[in-house]
Amino acid sequence: SFEFCDKDVHWGFHKPIMLAGGVGTISEANTKKKNLIKGDLLIVIGGPSMKIGVGGGSASSMNSGDNDEFLDFNSVQRGNPEMQKRAQEVINCCASLRSKNPILSIHDVGAGGLSNAVPEILHSSGVGGEINLSQITVNDATMTASEIWCNESQERYVICISNKSLALFEKICKRERCPFSVIAIVKQQKILSVISANQNDKDFVKPVDMSLDFLLESSIKSKR
Protein backbone atom coordinates (compact mmCIF):
# COMPACT_ATOMS: atom_id res chain seq x y z
CA SER A 1 0.00 0.00 0.00
CA PHE A 2 1.12 3.61 -0.56
CA GLU A 3 -0.20 6.78 0.97
CA PHE A 4 1.08 10.34 1.56
CA CYS A 5 0.00 13.98 1.87
CA ASP A 6 1.34 16.76 -0.34
CA LYS A 7 0.19 20.40 -0.24
CA ASP A 8 -3.00 19.51 1.63
CA VAL A 9 -3.81 16.77 -0.95
CA HIS A 10 -4.10 13.22 0.39
CA TRP A 11 -2.80 10.65 -2.08
CA GLY A 12 -3.43 6.90 -1.75
CA PHE A 13 -5.28 3.84 -2.96
CA HIS A 14 -8.91 3.16 -2.14
CA LYS A 15 -7.83 -0.27 -0.94
CA PRO A 16 -4.44 -1.92 -0.33
CA ILE A 17 -2.79 -3.71 -3.24
CA MET A 18 -0.96 -6.97 -2.61
CA LEU A 19 1.02 -9.02 -5.08
CA ALA A 20 1.68 -12.61 -4.07
CA GLY A 21 3.03 -15.69 -5.77
CA GLY A 22 3.99 -19.24 -5.00
CA VAL A 23 6.04 -22.08 -6.38
CA GLY A 24 5.03 -25.70 -6.03
CA THR A 25 6.14 -29.10 -7.25
CA ILE A 26 4.20 -32.17 -8.28
CA SER A 27 5.34 -35.65 -9.16
CA GLU A 28 5.09 -36.34 -12.90
CA ALA A 29 3.24 -39.56 -12.06
CA ASN A 30 0.39 -37.47 -10.61
CA THR A 31 -0.01 -34.93 -13.42
CA LYS A 32 -2.48 -36.85 -15.60
CA LYS A 33 -5.73 -38.63 -14.86
CA LYS A 34 -5.81 -42.33 -15.71
CA ASN A 35 -8.55 -43.89 -17.81
CA LEU A 36 -11.23 -45.77 -15.88
CA ILE A 37 -12.30 -49.28 -16.77
CA LYS A 38 -15.27 -51.48 -16.00
CA GLY A 39 -15.30 -52.49 -12.33
CA ASP A 40 -13.49 -49.43 -10.94
CA LEU A 41 -15.10 -47.71 -7.97
CA LEU A 42 -16.55 -44.22 -7.74
CA ILE A 43 -16.08 -42.73 -4.28
CA VAL A 44 -17.11 -39.54 -2.49
CA ILE A 45 -14.79 -38.44 0.30
CA GLY A 46 -15.31 -35.63 2.78
CA GLY A 47 -18.35 -34.23 4.51
CA PRO A 48 -22.00 -35.27 4.23
CA SER A 49 -24.61 -33.92 1.86
CA MET A 50 -26.57 -31.02 3.33
CA LYS A 51 -29.00 -28.38 2.14
CA ILE A 52 -26.08 -26.16 1.21
CA GLY A 53 -25.71 -24.56 -2.19
CA VAL A 54 -29.04 -25.94 -3.42
CA GLY A 55 -29.31 -23.78 -6.51
CA GLY A 56 -26.14 -22.01 -5.39
CA GLY A 57 -24.55 -21.75 -8.83
CA SER A 58 -27.71 -20.16 -10.21
CA ALA A 59 -28.41 -18.04 -7.14
CA SER A 60 -24.94 -16.46 -7.29
CA SER A 61 -25.87 -14.94 -10.65
CA MET A 62 -29.05 -13.29 -9.36
CA ASN A 63 -29.35 -9.73 -8.15
CA SER A 64 -29.60 -9.32 -4.40
CA GLY A 65 -33.22 -9.55 -3.26
CA ASP A 66 -34.48 -11.27 -6.42
CA ASN A 67 -34.54 -14.67 -4.72
CA ASP A 68 -36.93 -15.83 -2.01
CA GLU A 69 -35.69 -16.14 1.56
CA PHE A 70 -35.80 -19.96 1.70
CA LEU A 71 -33.68 -20.44 -1.43
CA ASP A 72 -31.32 -17.66 -0.38
CA PHE A 73 -30.59 -19.56 2.86
CA ASN A 74 -30.02 -22.86 1.09
CA SER A 75 -27.81 -21.19 -1.50
CA VAL A 76 -25.30 -19.93 1.04
CA GLN A 77 -22.04 -21.89 1.18
CA ARG A 78 -21.13 -22.89 4.73
CA GLY A 79 -17.69 -24.42 5.00
CA ASN A 80 -16.08 -26.84 7.45
CA PRO A 81 -12.28 -26.27 7.51
CA GLU A 82 -11.64 -29.31 9.72
CA MET A 83 -13.29 -31.68 7.23
CA GLN A 84 -11.44 -29.99 4.38
CA LYS A 85 -8.16 -30.68 6.18
CA ARG A 86 -9.03 -34.36 6.64
CA ALA A 87 -9.90 -34.79 2.96
CA GLN A 88 -6.74 -32.96 1.91
CA GLU A 89 -4.58 -35.21 4.07
CA VAL A 90 -6.08 -38.28 2.38
CA ILE A 91 -5.27 -36.84 -1.04
CA ASN A 92 -1.75 -35.85 0.09
CA CYS A 93 -1.07 -39.33 1.44
CA CYS A 94 -2.24 -41.00 -1.79
CA ALA A 95 -0.19 -38.58 -3.89
CA SER A 96 2.94 -39.29 -1.83
CA LEU A 97 2.75 -42.94 -2.90
CA ARG A 98 3.58 -41.82 -6.45
CA SER A 99 3.50 -44.89 -8.72
CA LYS A 100 1.40 -46.71 -6.10
CA ASN A 101 -1.11 -43.86 -5.80
CA PRO A 102 -4.54 -45.55 -5.56
CA ILE A 103 -6.30 -42.50 -7.05
CA LEU A 104 -6.94 -43.02 -10.76
CA SER A 105 -8.93 -39.82 -11.28
CA ILE A 106 -10.21 -37.02 -9.07
CA HIS A 107 -12.74 -34.21 -9.43
CA ASP A 108 -13.69 -31.41 -7.06
CA VAL A 109 -17.34 -30.94 -6.13
CA GLY A 110 -18.40 -27.37 -6.92
CA ALA A 111 -21.37 -25.81 -8.68
CA GLY A 112 -24.01 -28.44 -9.42
CA GLY A 113 -22.64 -30.79 -6.76
CA LEU A 114 -22.42 -34.47 -7.64
CA SER A 115 -24.71 -33.96 -10.65
CA ASN A 116 -21.82 -32.12 -12.27
CA ALA A 117 -18.73 -33.87 -10.87
CA VAL A 118 -19.87 -37.48 -11.40
CA PRO A 119 -20.87 -37.23 -15.10
CA GLU A 120 -17.70 -35.30 -15.95
CA ILE A 121 -15.30 -37.76 -14.30
CA LEU A 122 -17.03 -40.69 -16.02
CA HIS A 123 -17.28 -39.01 -19.41
CA SER A 124 -13.58 -38.07 -19.44
CA SER A 125 -12.78 -41.81 -19.56
CA GLY A 126 -15.55 -42.75 -21.97
CA VAL A 127 -17.36 -44.92 -19.43
CA GLY A 128 -20.61 -44.83 -17.48
CA GLY A 129 -21.96 -45.78 -14.09
CA GLU A 130 -24.99 -46.38 -11.90
CA ILE A 131 -25.02 -44.11 -8.86
CA ASN A 132 -26.91 -45.24 -5.77
CA LEU A 133 -28.08 -42.18 -3.84
CA SER A 134 -28.74 -44.28 -0.74
CA GLN A 135 -24.96 -44.82 -0.41
CA ILE A 136 -24.27 -41.09 -0.16
CA THR A 137 -23.88 -39.85 3.40
CA VAL A 138 -26.61 -37.35 4.25
CA ASN A 139 -27.08 -35.38 7.47
CA ASP A 140 -30.60 -34.13 6.71
CA ALA A 141 -33.27 -36.82 6.38
CA THR A 142 -35.66 -34.38 4.70
CA MET A 143 -33.50 -34.04 1.59
CA THR A 144 -35.08 -35.13 -1.68
CA ALA A 145 -33.30 -37.15 -4.38
CA SER A 146 -32.68 -33.99 -6.41
CA GLU A 147 -31.23 -32.18 -3.38
CA ILE A 148 -28.85 -35.07 -2.62
CA TRP A 149 -27.79 -35.18 -6.27
CA CYS A 150 -27.40 -31.44 -6.81
CA ASN A 151 -26.43 -29.83 -3.48
CA GLU A 152 -23.09 -28.01 -3.36
CA SER A 153 -21.87 -28.99 0.10
CA GLN A 154 -18.20 -28.16 0.50
CA GLU A 155 -15.19 -30.31 1.49
CA ARG A 156 -16.05 -33.15 -0.91
CA TYR A 157 -14.24 -34.81 -3.80
CA VAL A 158 -15.23 -37.49 -6.27
CA ILE A 159 -12.43 -40.03 -6.56
CA CYS A 160 -12.04 -43.14 -8.71
CA ILE A 161 -9.94 -46.08 -7.56
CA SER A 162 -9.45 -49.66 -8.60
CA ASN A 163 -11.41 -52.27 -6.67
CA LYS A 164 -8.14 -53.86 -5.56
CA SER A 165 -7.06 -50.54 -3.98
CA LEU A 166 -10.14 -50.25 -1.74
CA ALA A 167 -8.50 -51.79 1.33
CA LEU A 168 -5.53 -49.41 1.13
CA PHE A 169 -7.75 -46.40 0.52
CA GLU A 170 -10.01 -47.34 3.42
CA LYS A 171 -6.97 -47.63 5.70
CA ILE A 172 -5.79 -44.13 4.74
CA CYS A 173 -9.26 -42.62 5.28
CA LYS A 174 -9.59 -44.32 8.66
CA ARG A 175 -6.23 -42.96 9.80
CA GLU A 176 -7.18 -39.40 8.76
CA ARG A 177 -10.75 -39.81 10.13
CA CYS A 178 -12.14 -38.82 6.74
CA PRO A 179 -15.57 -40.25 5.81
CA PHE A 180 -15.99 -41.84 2.38
CA SER A 181 -18.71 -43.67 0.49
CA VAL A 182 -18.56 -46.02 -2.50
CA ILE A 183 -21.44 -44.70 -4.59
CA ALA A 184 -21.02 -46.53 -7.91
CA ILE A 185 -19.19 -49.16 -9.93
CA VAL A 186 -17.91 -48.04 -13.31
CA LYS A 187 -19.66 -49.62 -16.30
CA GLN A 188 -18.43 -49.88 -19.88
CA GLN A 189 -21.61 -48.53 -21.45
CA LYS A 190 -21.65 -44.71 -21.46
CA ILE A 191 -24.93 -44.42 -19.59
CA LEU A 192 -25.49 -42.32 -16.48
CA SER A 193 -28.05 -43.89 -14.16
CA VAL A 194 -29.06 -42.58 -10.76
CA ILE A 195 -30.99 -44.84 -8.41
CA SER A 196 -33.06 -43.34 -5.61
CA ALA A 197 -34.24 -45.75 -2.95
CA ASN A 198 -37.60 -44.98 -1.39
CA GLN A 199 -37.10 -45.87 2.27
CA ASN A 200 -40.82 -46.35 2.86
CA ASP A 201 -41.65 -49.11 0.40
CA LYS A 202 -38.12 -50.08 -0.73
CA ASP A 203 -38.99 -49.40 -4.35
CA PHE A 204 -36.19 -48.21 -6.60
CA VAL A 205 -36.71 -45.28 -8.90
CA LYS A 206 -34.37 -43.97 -11.59
CA PRO A 207 -34.69 -40.19 -11.70
CA VAL A 208 -31.76 -40.08 -14.18
CA ASP A 209 -31.09 -42.62 -16.93
CA MET A 210 -29.47 -41.12 -20.00
CA SER A 211 -26.52 -41.22 -22.38
CA LEU A 212 -23.46 -39.30 -21.20
CA ASP A 213 -22.72 -38.32 -24.79
CA PHE A 214 -26.17 -36.72 -25.05
CA LEU A 215 -25.70 -34.97 -21.70
CA LEU A 216 -22.26 -33.51 -22.36
CA GLU A 217 -21.83 -33.50 -26.13
CA SER A 218 -25.32 -32.90 -27.50
CA SER A 219 -25.44 -30.27 -30.23
CA ILE A 220 -29.17 -29.66 -29.69
CA LYS A 221 -29.81 -25.97 -29.19
CA SER A 222 -32.89 -24.40 -27.67
CA LYS A 223 -34.85 -21.77 -29.58
CA ARG A 224 -36.60 -18.73 -28.20
Side-chain angles (χ1 to χ4, degrees), residues 144-163:
T144 64
S146 62
E147 288 174 333
I148 295 172
W149 184 229
C150 300
N151 77 87
E152 298 165 14
S153 299
Q154 304 295 285
E155 294 84 42
R156 296 185 299 167
Y157 297 88
V158 174
I159 289 176
C160 289
I161 68 172
S162 167
N163 193 23

mmCIF file of all heavy atoms in Angstrom, residues 144-163:
data_model
loop_
_atom_site.group_PDB
_atom_site.id
_atom_site.type_symbol
_atom_site.label_atom_id
_atom_site.label_comp_id
_atom_site.label_asym_id
_atom_site.label_seq_id
_atom_site.Cartn_x
_atom_site.Cartn_y
_atom_site.Cartn_z
ATOM 1 N N THR A 144 -34.529 -34.367 -0.573
ATOM 2 C CA THR A 144 -35.079 -35.131 -1.681
ATOM 3 C C THR A 144 -33.944 -35.694 -2.530
ATOM 4 O O THR A 144 -32.773 -35.333 -2.353
ATOM 5 C CB THR A 144 -35.965 -34.236 -2.556
ATOM 6 O OG1 THR A 144 -35.142 -33.205 -3.148
ATOM 7 C CG2 THR A 144 -37.068 -33.595 -1.741
ATOM 8 N N ALA A 145 -34.302 -36.575 -3.481
ATOM 9 C CA ALA A 145 -33.296 -37.146 -4.378
ATOM 10 C C ALA A 145 -32.568 -36.051 -5.151
ATOM 11 O O ALA A 145 -31.339 -36.089 -5.302
ATOM 12 C CB ALA A 145 -33.955 -38.135 -5.335
ATOM 13 N N SER A 146 -33.307 -35.068 -5.634
ATOM 14 C CA SER A 146 -32.681 -33.994 -6.406
ATOM 15 C C SER A 146 -31.746 -33.157 -5.543
ATOM 16 O O SER A 146 -30.692 -32.696 -6.006
ATOM 17 C CB SER A 146 -33.745 -33.090 -7.053
ATOM 18 O OG SER A 146 -34.550 -32.469 -6.072
ATOM 19 N N GLU A 147 -32.097 -32.957 -4.276
ATOM 20 C CA GLU A 147 -31.229 -32.184 -3.375
ATOM 21 C C GLU A 147 -29.956 -32.944 -3.046
ATOM 22 O O GLU A 147 -28.877 -32.356 -2.946
ATOM 23 C CB GLU A 147 -31.995 -31.830 -2.098
ATOM 24 C CG GLU A 147 -33.068 -30.766 -2.313
ATOM 25 C CD GLU A 147 -33.913 -30.526 -1.090
ATOM 26 O OE1 GLU A 147 -34.064 -31.462 -0.269
ATOM 27 O OE2 GLU A 147 -34.438 -29.407 -0.944
ATOM 28 N N ILE A 148 -30.049 -34.260 -2.871
ATOM 29 C CA ILE A 148 -28.852 -35.073 -2.619
ATOM 30 C C ILE A 148 -27.940 -35.057 -3.844
ATOM 31 O O ILE A 148 -26.718 -34.977 -3.724
ATOM 32 C CB ILE A 148 -29.250 -36.524 -2.273
ATOM 33 C CG1 ILE A 148 -30.027 -36.570 -0.957
ATOM 34 C CG2 ILE A 148 -28.008 -37.427 -2.177
ATOM 35 C CD1 ILE A 148 -30.626 -37.921 -0.636
ATOM 36 N N TRP A 149 -28.538 -35.106 -5.013
ATOM 37 C CA TRP A 149 -27.791 -35.185 -6.266
ATOM 38 C C TRP A 149 -27.166 -33.840 -6.656
ATOM 39 O O TRP A 149 -26.088 -33.796 -7.237
ATOM 40 C CB TRP A 149 -28.730 -35.678 -7.358
ATOM 41 C CG TRP A 149 -28.168 -35.924 -8.720
ATOM 42 C CD1 TRP A 149 -28.682 -35.482 -9.906
ATOM 43 C CD2 TRP A 149 -27.036 -36.718 -9.081
ATOM 44 N NE1 TRP A 149 -27.939 -35.933 -10.964
ATOM 45 C CE2 TRP A 149 -26.914 -36.698 -10.482
ATOM 46 C CE3 TRP A 149 -26.099 -37.448 -8.344
ATOM 47 C CZ2 TRP A 149 -25.900 -37.367 -11.177
ATOM 48 C CZ3 TRP A 149 -25.086 -38.109 -9.024
ATOM 49 C CH2 TRP A 149 -24.986 -38.076 -10.419
ATOM 50 N N CYS A 150 -27.814 -32.744 -6.296
ATOM 51 C CA CYS A 150 -27.398 -31.437 -6.806
ATOM 52 C C CYS A 150 -26.839 -30.467 -5.764
ATOM 53 O O CYS A 150 -26.350 -29.399 -6.137
ATOM 54 C CB CYS A 150 -28.565 -30.746 -7.510
ATOM 55 S SG CYS A 150 -29.236 -31.636 -8.919
ATOM 56 N N ASN A 151 -26.902 -30.790 -4.474
ATOM 57 C CA ASN A 151 -26.429 -29.828 -3.478
ATOM 58 C C ASN A 151 -24.918 -29.593 -3.619
ATOM 59 O O ASN A 151 -24.178 -30.447 -4.094
ATOM 60 C CB ASN A 151 -26.780 -30.291 -2.058
ATOM 61 C CG ASN A 151 -25.855 -31.376 -1.559
ATOM 62 O OD1 ASN A 151 -24.786 -31.125 -0.997
ATOM 63 N ND2 ASN A 151 -26.265 -32.630 -1.768
ATOM 64 N N GLU A 152 -24.475 -28.417 -3.194
ATOM 65 C CA GLU A 152 -23.088 -28.012 -3.365
ATOM 66 C C GLU A 152 -22.333 -27.962 -2.034
ATOM 67 O O GLU A 152 -21.525 -27.051 -1.799
ATOM 68 C CB GLU A 152 -23.035 -26.669 -4.087
ATOM 69 C CG GLU A 152 -23.643 -26.734 -5.484
ATOM 70 C CD GLU A 152 -23.938 -25.373 -6.095
ATOM 71 O OE1 GLU A 152 -23.438 -24.370 -5.555
ATOM 72 O OE2 GLU A 152 -24.665 -25.315 -7.095
ATOM 73 N N SER A 153 -22.583 -28.931 -1.173
ATOM 74 C CA SER A 153 -21.867 -28.994 0.102
ATOM 75 C C SER A 153 -20.363 -29.020 -0.152
ATOM 76 O O SER A 153 -19.888 -29.674 -1.079
ATOM 77 C CB SER A 153 -22.280 -30.246 0.876
ATOM 78 O OG SER A 153 -23.653 -30.228 1.172
ATOM 79 N N GLN A 154 -19.642 -28.302 0.678
ATOM 80 C CA GLN A 154 -18.200 -28.165 0.499
ATOM 81 C C GLN A 154 -17.432 -29.362 1.078
ATOM 82 O O GLN A 154 -18.012 -30.297 1.612
ATOM 83 C CB GLN A 154 -17.729 -26.879 1.175
ATOM 84 C CG GLN A 154 -18.453 -25.639 0.688
ATOM 85 C CD GLN A 154 -18.174 -25.335 -0.765
ATOM 86 O OE1 GLN A 154 -17.111 -24.854 -1.115
ATOM 87 N NE2 GLN A 154 -19.142 -25.632 -1.614
ATOM 88 N N GLU A 155 -16.092 -29.301 0.931
ATOM 89 C CA GLU A 155 -15.187 -30.314 1.486
ATOM 90 C C GLU A 155 -15.459 -31.716 0.953
ATOM 91 O O GLU A 155 -15.362 -32.702 1.678
ATOM 92 C CB GLU A 155 -15.252 -30.347 3.029
ATOM 93 C CG GLU A 155 -14.732 -29.097 3.680
ATOM 94 C CD GLU A 155 -15.784 -28.000 3.756
ATOM 95 O OE1 GLU A 155 -16.945 -28.302 4.080
ATOM 96 O OE2 GLU A 155 -15.436 -26.846 3.485
ATOM 97 N N ARG A 156 -15.806 -31.838 -0.316
ATOM 98 C CA ARG A 156 -16.048 -33.153 -0.912
ATOM 99 C C ARG A 156 -15.286 -33.276 -2.232
ATOM 100 O O ARG A 156 -15.080 -32.296 -2.946
ATOM 101 C CB ARG A 156 -17.544 -33.382 -1.185
ATOM 102 C CG ARG A 156 -18.411 -33.412 0.046
ATOM 103 C CD ARG A 156 -19.850 -33.774 -0.312
ATOM 104 N NE ARG A 156 -20.428 -32.787 -1.212
ATOM 105 C CZ ARG A 156 -21.569 -32.963 -1.880
ATOM 106 N NH1 ARG A 156 -22.235 -34.103 -1.758
ATOM 107 N NH2 ARG A 156 -22.054 -32.025 -2.666
ATOM 108 N N TYR A 157 -14.877 -34.501 -2.520
ATOM 109 C CA TYR A 157 -14.239 -34.806 -3.796
ATOM 110 C C TYR A 157 -14.807 -36.118 -4.316
ATOM 111 O O TYR A 157 -15.165 -37.004 -3.539
ATOM 112 C CB TYR A 157 -12.716 -34.958 -3.635
ATOM 113 C CG TYR A 157 -12.012 -33.707 -3.174
ATOM 114 C CD1 TYR A 157 -11.867 -33.430 -1.814
ATOM 115 C CD2 TYR A 157 -11.496 -32.796 -4.091
ATOM 116 C CE1 TYR A 157 -11.221 -32.286 -1.381
ATOM 117 C CE2 TYR A 157 -10.847 -31.653 -3.671
ATOM 118 C CZ TYR A 157 -10.713 -31.400 -2.318
ATOM 119 O OH TYR A 157 -10.078 -30.256 -1.893
ATOM 120 N N VAL A 158 -14.896 -36.222 -5.634
ATOM 121 C CA VAL A 158 -15.232 -37.493 -6.266
ATOM 122 C C VAL A 158 -13.922 -38.123 -6.718
ATOM 123 O O VAL A 158 -13.138 -37.493 -7.427
ATOM 124 C CB VAL A 158 -16.177 -37.300 -7.469
ATOM 125 C CG1 VAL A 158 -16.389 -38.622 -8.197
ATOM 126 C CG2 VAL A 158 -17.516 -36.756 -7.002
ATOM 127 N N ILE A 159 -13.686 -39.345 -6.281
ATOM 128 C CA ILE A 159 -12.427 -40.034 -6.559
ATOM 129 C C ILE A 159 -12.722 -41.403 -7.160
ATOM 130 O O ILE A 159 -13.672 -42.081 -6.750
ATOM 131 C CB ILE A 159 -11.599 -40.191 -5.260
ATOM 132 C CG1 ILE A 159 -11.054 -38.828 -4.819
ATOM 133 C CG2 ILE A 159 -10.461 -41.188 -5.434
ATOM 134 C CD1 ILE A 159 -10.302 -38.859 -3.510
ATOM 135 N N CYS A 160 -11.930 -41.807 -8.125
ATOM 136 C CA CYS A 160 -12.041 -43.141 -8.707
ATOM 137 C C CYS A 160 -10.805 -43.955 -8.348
ATOM 138 O O CYS A 160 -9.677 -43.478 -8.472
ATOM 139 C CB CYS A 160 -12.172 -43.062 -10.220
ATOM 140 S SG CYS A 160 -13.751 -42.409 -10.775
ATOM 141 N N ILE A 161 -11.039 -45.168 -7.891
ATOM 142 C CA ILE A 161 -9.942 -46.079 -7.562
ATOM 143 C C ILE A 161 -10.264 -47.457 -8.121
ATOM 144 O O ILE A 161 -11.405 -47.760 -8.448
ATOM 145 C CB ILE A 161 -9.702 -46.181 -6.038
ATOM 146 C CG1 ILE A 161 -10.886 -46.875 -5.356
ATOM 147 C CG2 ILE A 161 -9.438 -44.822 -5.425
ATOM 148 C CD1 ILE A 161 -10.635 -47.197 -3.884
ATOM 149 N N SER A 162 -9.245 -48.274 -8.205
ATOM 150 C CA SER A 162 -9.447 -49.663 -8.599
ATOM 151 C C SER A 162 -10.041 -50.438 -7.424
ATOM 152 O O SER A 162 -9.795 -50.101 -6.261
ATOM 153 C CB SER A 162 -8.107 -50.276 -9.014
ATOM 154 O OG SER A 162 -8.202 -51.675 -9.114
ATOM 155 N N ASN A 163 -10.812 -51.454 -7.719
ATOM 156 C CA ASN A 163 -11.413 -52.271 -6.667
ATOM 157 C C ASN A 163 -10.351 -52.883 -5.757
ATOM 158 O O ASN A 163 -10.542 -53.000 -4.551
ATOM 159 C CB ASN A 163 -12.278 -53.375 -7.300
ATOM 160 C CG ASN A 163 -13.168 -54.051 -6.271
ATOM 161 O OD1 ASN A 163 -13.468 -53.478 -5.233
ATOM 162 N ND2 ASN A 163 -13.588 -55.267 -6.558
#
